[in-house]
Amino acid sequence: MRAPGLVILTGAGISRESGLATFRDPDGIWAKVRIEDVATPEAFARDPARVHAFYNARRAQLRDPALQPNAAHLALAELDRRWPGEFLLVTQNVDNLHERAGTRRLLHMHGELMKARCRHCQTVRLWEEDLSTAVACPACGRAGGMRPHVVWFGEMPLEMERIGRALEGCGIFAAIGTSGHVYPAAGFVAEVAGRARTIELNIAASEVASDFDEAMLGPATETVPRLVAELLAEWGD
Ligand code: BJW
């Protein structure tokens, strides 16, 4: 029998055990800074230096050699390598831990911290250093338009058509370490309900927990390798 299409959605919880903060847990990012100050286009228009400082600090965390993919990222990379059918890992995370673990069939719907975009010419390029309003775009030469290549509230998430096609064709959908607060990602489970097996992996039930068929509660470094072993035992090459 052909392996079903598999879509995995990940959120900040999968990177927690690597040392990156989540957003909405009690020690999360939104307990320390306000969304309206750093994660909207209006915030960037009002005070770009503040927004750059917020993302420069988070980019510096990604450059720290101590930050490494954990057992959950590594298990998903093995799943990608060995899954014999359609596979797509959709991450809401802007960190680069999935690609560093080896996942290839991956897309970042909320952008990537290690990329910058020019608001003048729209060029997107790898950007591992600090950004500021003084930086000129290497492509068009204009200064003041470089911004982090991330998706803020009120902006359209990336690759929605590809995600829509993968969700339409999937037979298994798993969401890992995401609170179910932010749309459209929080609505993916409702989109596939009834035609796909749906599994939530989280340390605590999410906002949309009742939309899933099954739950695996616990830290991602324990539940994800377990789920991957189960899936590969049934369908792996
Ligand atoms: C563990 C763990 C461990 C901890 N192991 N688990 C009503 C309906 C539909 C939409 C809207 C609506 N009202 C408003 C909207 C729009 C808005 C929205 O959703 N607002 C809500 C707050 C209400 N959405 C948008 O604006 C989006 N754009 C949009 O909708 O465009 C129009 C459109 C419509 C329809 C189709 C297509 C387009 C854009 C959203 C952009 C979000 N941006 C951010 C910042 C990115 C850059 C950055 O990183 O700074 O993305 S916000 C932040 O939240 C970040 C995350 O990707 C996102 C989701 O957070 P996540 O990953 O779920 O983290 P947490 O912290 O919330 O949860 C962590 C979870 O891990 C918890 O559950 C823990 O229990 C768990 N956990 N440790 C396992 N060890």
Side-chain angles (χ1 to χ4, degrees):
M1 214 164 55
R2 259 183 83 203
L6 177 55
V7 176
I8 309 279
L9 172 71
T10 65
I14 196 167
S15 298
R16 180 72 195 89
E17 291 163 85
S18 290
L20 294 178
T22 63
F23 293 93
R24 294 170 186 80
D25 288 314
D27 59 349
I29 293 173
W30 299 151
K32 299 184 180 92
V33 285
R34 294 186 334 140
I35 289 175
E36 309 81 59
D37 290 336
V38 294
T40 66
E42 294 77 19
F44 189 61
R46 200 170 52 241
D47 193 348
R50 174 156 194 195
V51 175
H52 280 312
F54 173 68
Y55 284 100
N56 286 344
R58 289 178 56 206
R59 205 176 293 108
Q61 282 184 300
L62 293 196
R63 291 195 302 262
D64 182 344
L67 182 80
Q68 292 294 330
N70 64 43
H73 298 105
L74 294 168
L76 292 178
E78 186 190 0
L79 188 58
D80 177 19
R81 270 193 304 277
R82 296 185 49 202
W83 189 255
E86 294 293 319
F87 176 99
L88 185 63
L89 198 167
V90 179
T91 187
Q92 298 169 83
N93 300 342
V94 299
D95 68 50
N96 53 10
L97 294 175
H98 283 304
E99 43 272 67
R100 286 175 55 194
T103 298
R104 293 288 170 263
R105 291 181 278 179
L106 163 73
L107 57 83
H108 283 268
M109 66 178 290
H110 290 164
E112 294 171 70
L113 201 42
M114 288 302 207
K115 289 185 178 170
R117 181 164 84 236
C118 173
R119 293 198 302 161
H120 302 305
C121 69
Q122 303 306 324
T123 301
V124 176
R125 61 176 60 226
L126 273 178
W127 202 280
E128 299 189 349
E129 304 306 320
D130 285 356
L131 276 173
S132 78
T133 51
V135 171
C137 170
C140 73
R142 292 173 69 179
M146 297 299 280
R147 57 162 282 182
H149 183 52
V150 301
V151 177
W152 288 320
F153 282 101
E155 296 184 320
M156 183 64 88
L158 308 176
E159 306 266 22
M160 287 307 295
E161 279 185 24
R162 240 178 100 197
I163 295 171
R165 282 197 300 276
L167 290 173
E168 267 170 34
C170 87
I172 304 177
F173 173 81
I176 303 168
T178 179
S179 63
H181 275 100
V182 175
Y183 286 82
F188 291 169
V189 60
E191 264 179 79
V192 302
R195 55 187 169 79
R197 174 185 172 197
T198 57
I199 312 154
E200 173 165 277
L201 292 85
N202 203 308
I203 209 155
S206 78
E207 282 290 298
V208 291
S210 61
D211 290 346
F212 288 85
D213 302 322
E214 299 164 43
M216 292 176 80
L217 285 185
T221 53
E222 290 174 17
T223 55
V224 177
R226 193 151 26 98
L227 176 70
V228 167
E230 277 173 27
L231 291 173
L232 289 178
E234 190 171 357
W235 300 102
D237 53 14

